[in-house]
Coordinates of all heavy atoms in Angstrom, one line a residue:
D39 N -3.6 103.1 23.1 CA -4.9 103.4 22.5 C -5.3 104.9 22.9 O -5.5 105.2 24.0 CB -5.9 102.5 23.1 CG -7.3 102.6 22.4 OD1 -7.5 103.6 21.8 OD2 -8.1 101.6 22.6
R40 N -5.4 105.7 21.8 CA -5.7 107.1 22.0 C -7.0 107.5 21.3 O -7.3 108.6 21.0 CB -4.6 108.0 21.4 CG -3.2 107.8 22.0 CD -3.2 108.3 23.4 NE -1.9 108.2 24.1 CZ -1.6 108.5 25.3 NH1 -2.6 108.9 26.1 NH2 -0.4 108.3 25.8
T41 N -7.9 106.5 21.1 CA -9.1 106.7 20.4 C -10.0 107.8 21.1 O -10.5 108.7 20.4 CB -9.9 105.4 20.3 OG1 -9.1 104.4 19.7 CG2 -11.2 105.6 19.6
T42 N -10.2 107.6 22.4 CA -11.0 108.6 23.1 C -10.4 110.0 23.2 O -11.0 111.0 22.9 CB -11.4 108.1 24.5 OG1 -12.1 106.9 24.4 CG2 -12.2 109.1 25.3
Q43 N -9.1 110.0 23.5 CA -8.4 111.3 23.6 C -8.4 112.0 22.3 O -8.4 113.3 22.2 CB -7.0 111.1 24.1 CG -6.8 110.5 25.5 CD -6.8 109.0 25.6 OE1 -7.4 108.3 24.8 NE2 -6.1 108.5 26.5
A44 N -8.3 111.3 21.2 CA -8.3 111.9 19.8 C -9.6 112.3 19.3 O -9.7 113.0 18.3 CB -7.6 110.9 18.8
G45 N -10.7 111.9 20.0 CA -12.0 112.4 19.6 C -12.7 111.5 18.6 O -13.6 111.9 17.9
L46 N -12.2 110.3 18.4 CA -12.7 109.4 17.4 C -13.9 108.5 17.9 O -14.5 107.8 17.1 CB -11.7 108.5 16.8 CG -10.4 109.2 16.1 CD1 -9.5 108.1 15.6 CD2 -10.9 110.2 15.1
N47 N -14.1 108.5 19.2 CA -15.0 107.5 19.8 C -16.4 107.8 19.6 O -17.3 107.0 19.9 CB -14.7 107.5 21.3 CG -14.9 108.8 22.0 OD1 -14.3 109.8 21.6 ND2 -15.6 108.9 23.1
N48 N -16.8 109.0 19.1 CA -18.2 109.3 19.0 C -18.8 108.9 17.6 O -20.0 108.9 17.5 CB -18.4 110.9 19.1 CG -18.1 111.3 20.5 OD1 -18.5 110.7 21.5 ND2 -17.5 112.5 20.6
E49 N -18.0 108.5 16.7 CA -18.5 108.1 15.4 C -18.5 106.5 15.3 O -17.4 105.9 15.1 CB -17.6 108.7 14.3 CG -18.1 108.2 12.8 CD -19.5 108.5 12.6 OE1 -19.9 109.7 12.2 OE2 -20.4 107.6 12.8
T50 N -19.7 105.9 15.4 CA -19.8 104.5 15.4 C -20.9 104.0 14.5 O -21.4 102.9 14.6 CB -20.0 104.0 16.9 OG1 -21.3 104.5 17.4 CG2 -18.9 104.4 17.8
R51 N -21.4 104.9 13.6 CA -22.6 104.6 12.9 C -22.4 103.6 11.7 O -23.4 103.0 11.3 CB -23.2 105.9 12.3 CG -23.7 106.8 13.4 CD -24.2 108.1 12.7 NE -23.0 108.9 12.2 CZ -23.2 110.0 11.5 NH1 -24.4 110.5 11.2 NH2 -22.1 110.6 11.1
Y52 N -21.2 103.4 11.2 CA -21.1 102.7 10.0 C -20.1 101.5 10.1 O -19.2 101.5 10.9 CB -20.5 103.7 8.9 CG -21.3 105.0 8.8 CD1 -20.6 106.2 9.1 CD2 -22.6 105.0 8.5 CE1 -21.3 107.4 9.0 CE2 -23.3 106.2 8.4 CZ -22.7 107.4 8.7 OH -23.4 108.5 8.6
V53 N -20.3 100.6 9.2 CA -19.3 99.5 8.9 C -18.2 100.1 8.1 O -18.4 100.6 7.0 CB -19.9 98.3 8.2 CG1 -18.9 97.3 7.9 CG2 -21.1 97.7 9.0
S54 N -17.0 100.1 8.7 CA -15.9 100.9 8.0 C -14.9 99.9 7.4 O -14.6 98.9 8.0 CB -15.2 101.8 9.1 OG -16.1 102.7 9.6
F55 N -14.3 100.3 6.3 CA -13.3 99.4 5.6 C -12.0 100.2 5.4 O -11.3 100.4 6.3 CB -13.9 98.9 4.3 CG -14.8 97.7 4.5 CD1 -16.2 97.9 4.7 CD2 -14.3 96.4 4.4 CE1 -17.0 96.8 4.9 CE2 -15.1 95.3 4.6 CZ -16.5 95.5 4.8
G56 N -11.8 100.6 4.2 CA -10.5 101.3 3.8 C -10.3 102.6 4.6 O -11.3 103.3 4.9
A57 N -9.0 102.9 4.9 CA -8.7 104.1 5.6 C -7.4 104.6 5.2 O -6.5 103.9 4.7 CB -8.8 103.9 7.1
G58 N -7.1 105.9 5.5 CA -5.8 106.4 5.3 C -5.5 107.6 6.2 O -6.4 108.3 6.6
L59 N -4.2 107.6 6.7 CA -3.7 108.8 7.4 C -3.0 109.6 6.4 O -1.8 109.4 6.2 CB -2.8 108.3 8.5 CG -3.4 108.2 10.0 CD1 -2.4 107.5 10.9 CD2 -3.8 109.5 10.5
V60 N -3.6 110.6 5.9 CA -3.1 111.4 4.7 C -3.4 112.9 5.0 O -4.5 113.2 5.4 CB -3.7 110.9 3.4 CG1 -3.2 111.8 2.3 CG2 -3.4 109.5 3.2
D61 N -2.5 113.7 4.7 CA -2.7 115.2 4.9 C -3.4 115.7 3.6 O -2.9 115.9 2.6 CB -1.3 115.9 5.0 CG -1.5 117.3 5.4 OD1 -2.6 117.8 5.4 OD2 -0.5 118.0 5.7
L62 N -4.7 115.9 3.8 CA -5.6 116.2 2.7 C -5.7 117.8 2.5 O -6.1 118.2 1.4 CB -7.0 115.7 2.9 CG -7.1 114.1 2.9 CD1 -8.5 113.7 3.3 CD2 -6.7 113.6 1.5
D63 N -5.3 118.5 3.5 CA -5.4 120.0 3.3 C -4.0 120.6 3.4 O -3.9 121.9 3.4 CB -6.3 120.7 4.4 CG -5.9 120.3 5.8 OD1 -4.9 119.6 6.0 OD2 -6.7 120.7 6.7
N64 N -2.9 119.8 3.4 CA -1.6 120.3 3.3 C -1.2 121.2 4.5 O -0.3 122.1 4.3 CB -1.3 121.0 2.0 CG -1.1 120.1 0.8 OD1 -0.8 118.9 1.0 ND2 -1.2 120.6 -0.4
D65 N -1.8 121.1 5.6 CA -1.5 121.9 6.7 C -0.4 121.4 7.6 O 0.1 122.0 8.6 CB -2.7 122.2 7.6 CG -3.2 120.9 8.3 OD1 -2.8 119.8 8.0 OD2 -4.1 121.1 9.2
G66 N 0.2 120.2 7.2 CA 1.3 119.6 7.9 C 0.9 118.5 8.9 O 1.8 117.9 9.5
Y67 N -0.4 118.3 9.0 CA -0.9 117.3 10.0 C -1.8 116.2 9.2 O -2.8 116.6 8.6 CB -1.8 117.9 11.0 CG -1.0 118.9 11.9 CD1 -0.9 120.2 11.7 CD2 -0.3 118.4 13.1 CE1 -0.2 121.1 12.5 CE2 0.4 119.2 13.9 CZ 0.4 120.6 13.6 OH 1.1 121.4 14.4
P68 N -1.4 114.9 9.3 CA -2.2 113.9 8.5 C -3.6 113.8 9.1 O -3.9 113.8 10.3 CB -1.4 112.6 8.8 CG 0.0 113.1 9.1 CD -0.2 114.4 9.8
D69 N -4.6 113.7 8.1 CA -6.0 113.5 8.4 C -6.4 112.1 8.3 O -5.6 111.3 7.8 CB -6.8 114.5 7.5 CG -6.3 115.9 7.5 OD1 -6.4 116.5 8.6 OD2 -5.9 116.4 6.4
I70 N -7.6 111.8 8.6 CA -8.1 110.4 8.4 C -9.3 110.4 7.5 O -10.3 111.1 7.7 CB -8.5 109.8 9.8 CG1 -7.3 109.8 10.7 CG2 -9.1 108.4 9.6 CD1 -7.7 109.3 12.2
L71 N -9.3 109.5 6.5 CA -10.5 109.3 5.6 C -10.8 107.9 5.6 O -9.9 107.0 5.4 CB -10.2 109.9 4.2 CG -11.5 109.9 3.3 CD1 -11.5 111.1 2.4 CD2 -11.6 108.6 2.5
I72 N -12.1 107.5 5.7 CA -12.5 106.1 5.8 C -13.7 105.9 4.8 O -14.6 106.7 4.7 CB -13.0 105.9 7.2 CG1 -11.9 106.1 8.2 CG2 -13.5 104.4 7.4 CD1 -12.4 106.2 9.7
S73 N -13.6 104.7 4.1 CA -14.8 104.3 3.3 C -15.7 103.4 4.2 O -15.2 102.7 5.1 CB -14.3 103.5 2.1 OG -13.7 102.3 2.5
T74 N -17.0 103.5 3.9 CA -17.9 102.7 4.7 C -18.9 102.0 3.8 O -19.1 102.4 2.7 CB -18.7 103.6 5.7 OG1 -19.6 104.5 5.0 CG2 -17.7 104.5 6.5
G75 N -19.6 101.0 4.4 CA -20.6 100.3 3.6 C -21.0 99.0 4.3 O -20.1 98.3 4.7
S76 N -22.2 98.7 4.3 CA -22.7 97.5 5.1 C -22.3 96.2 4.3 O -22.0 96.2 3.1 CB -24.2 97.5 5.2 OG -24.6 96.3 5.8
V77 N -22.3 95.1 5.1 CA -22.0 93.8 4.5 C -23.3 92.9 4.5 O -23.2 91.8 4.1 CB -20.9 93.1 5.3 CG1 -19.6 93.8 5.2 CG2 -21.3 92.9 6.7
Y78 N -24.4 93.6 4.9 CA -25.7 92.8 4.9 C -26.7 93.6 4.1 O -27.5 94.3 4.6 CB -26.2 92.7 6.4 CG -25.2 92.0 7.3 CD1 -24.7 92.6 8.4 CD2 -24.8 90.7 7.0 CE1 -23.9 92.0 9.3 CE2 -24.0 90.0 7.9 CZ -23.5 90.6 9.0 OH -22.6 90.0 9.8
P79 N -26.7 93.4 2.7 CA -27.6 94.1 1.9 C -29.1 93.8 2.2 O -30.0 94.7 2.0 CB -27.3 93.6 0.5 CG -26.6 92.3 0.7 CD -25.8 92.4 2.0

Side-chain angles (χ1 to χ4, degrees):
D39 188 342
R40 299 292 182 184
T41 302
T42 300
Q43 295 92 326
L46 303 182
N47 57 308
N48 293 321
E49 179 54 84
T50 62
R51 293 174 291 174
Y52 310 119
V53 178
S54 301
F55 279 88
L59 261 171
V60 178
D61 190 352
L62 295 171
D63 54 6
N64 283 342
D65 67 348
Y67 295 93
D69 310 296
I70 300 173
L71 189 144
I72 301 167
S73 68
T74 71
S76 176
V77 296
Y78 300 122

